[in-house]
Amino acid sequence: MNQQGFSPISSIVSGKPVNQISIDELRKLHTLEGKKGIIFGIGNEESIAYGCALAAKALGAEIGLACYNQSVFNKLADKGIIDQLGAEFRQECNFKNPGDISKVFAAAKDYFGSIDFVIFSAAGGSKDEIQGLLTDASEDGLI
């Protein structure tokens, strides 16, 4: 923290706290044009992964989605989220099955050619576990 109480990242954009930076200000400084990424864990329009996907899309990224099953994709499609994100790459991924995550990366590499970023925002543990410290969470609590 600096003398004004801002974290170091806030001083990158006009010295403002991170939660006061507009998308237009970010666009002026950063871009994800030409970048390709996979977002794991969008469950609905209130999920953290959805907010991350919106920001990445707004900054020019091409987005692929990995969700638990086809039912989740159907719900996202019904709400217009898949179209809003332009997510043509979609892959089912049961996060508790170690081989599924590898399958997503292999399919994404085939589809995109390369992957520039990954956002993993899936949690299935108890409320206490997923709201605590990441280092204190069990494997079952994270996936």
Side-chain angles (χ1 to χ4, degrees), residues 5 8-10 21 23 50 53 59 71 73-74 80 82 102 111 119-120 122:
I9 195 165
S10 66
I21 300 168
I23 292 294
Y50 174 64
L59 294 172
S71 176
F73 285 122
N74 292 343
I82 290 175
S102 296
Y111 182 84
I119 296 172
F120 188 91

Side-chain angles (χ1 to χ4, degrees), residues 107-121:
K109 185 177 179 190
D110 288 344
Y111 182 84
F112 291 120
S114 65
I115 304 163
D116 299 297
F117 66 92
V118 174
I119 296 172
F120 188 91
S121 181

